[in-house]
Amino acid sequence: MASSPTFSVIGNDVIIRGNVEASADLHIDGTIEGDIVCASLVQGESSRVEGAISADTARLSGTVKGTITVRELVVLRNARIEGDVHYESLTIEQGANVTGRFASDAAANRAQPAAARIARPAEAKDAPRLTEDGEPRLTLAS
């Protein structure tokens, strides 16, 4: 029997003190005090993460205090990030607040998803989206 894609939701009334690892997509509206490893992360506007985030894709809208390592990252206008950001593809909406350094990991990590580089053995994945010059794609949204 084939399994269907799943997702998990951490509600706004939930506080987790400890690391979270999910093979499914994860939607966070609550608070996590620990590291997160997942396939895809969506962070709600009122949520808070104090720890490292590692995912293939992430769409952040809340507060993050920690290092972020993702293949494709979208930082929405309400996001408040304190920490270094490692990415292959990056979109930042006007109004987002990021205090930290940005580092493109595209050239060094083309064959591995972000989550695998930190928490698991390498798994082959599609190459990152690059510009015509071979540089990682950066998109600024308004």
Side-chain angles (χ1 to χ4, degrees), residues 84-141:
D84 293 345
V85 178
H86 302 270
Y87 65 92
E88 291 179 14
S89 174
L90 176 64
T91 302
I92 303 175
E93 283 189 346
Q94 185 175 355
N97 184 337
V98 180
T99 304
R101 293 176 291 191
F102 287 96
S104 169
D105 290 346
N109 299 302
R110 284 191 186 161
Q112 298 176 323
R117 287 193 300 271
I118 290 179
R120 297 186 192 99
E123 299 172 13
K125 206 59 166 166
D126 295 334
R129 296 179 188 165
L130 303 176
T131 65
E132 295 170 2
D133 297 335
E135 294 295 319
R137 183 186 69 175
L138 170 64
T139 307
L140 300 177

Side-chain angles (χ1 to χ4, degrees), residues 1 9-10 13-14 21 27 35 39 41 56 59 77 102 104 119-120 122 129 134:
M1 177 186 331
V9 177
I10 298 174
D13 60 337
V14 176
E21 185 172 338
H27 184 108
D35 297 342
L41 175 66
D56 285 332
R59 187 172 180 86
R77 75 187 69 194
F102 287 96
S104 169
R120 297 186 192 99
R129 296 179 188 165

Side-chain angles (χ1 to χ4, degrees), residues 23-109:
S23 58
D25 297 345
L26 187 60
H27 184 108
I28 299 173
D29 286 322
T31 299
I32 301 207
E33 297 173 358
D35 297 342
I36 299 170
V37 176
C38 62
S40 179
L41 175 66
V42 175
Q43 182 192 33
E45 194 174 311
S46 62
S47 73
R48 179 175 187 81
V49 174
E50 292 187 22
I53 294 174
S54 178
D56 285 332
T57 63
R59 187 172 180 86
L60 306 178
S61 182
T63 299
V64 177
K65 290 186 177 186
T67 301
I68 299 168
T69 304
V70 297
R71 191 170 46 85
E72 293 183 32
L73 176 62
V74 176
V75 181
L76 300 174
R77 75 187 69 194
N78 297 317
R80 300 293 173 254
I81 298 172
E82 292 181 29
D84 293 345
V85 178
H86 302 270
Y87 65 92
E88 291 179 14
S89 174
L90 176 64
T91 302
I92 303 175
E93 283 189 346
Q94 185 175 355
N97 184 337
V98 180
T99 304
R101 293 176 291 191
F102 287 96
S104 169
D105 290 346
N109 299 302

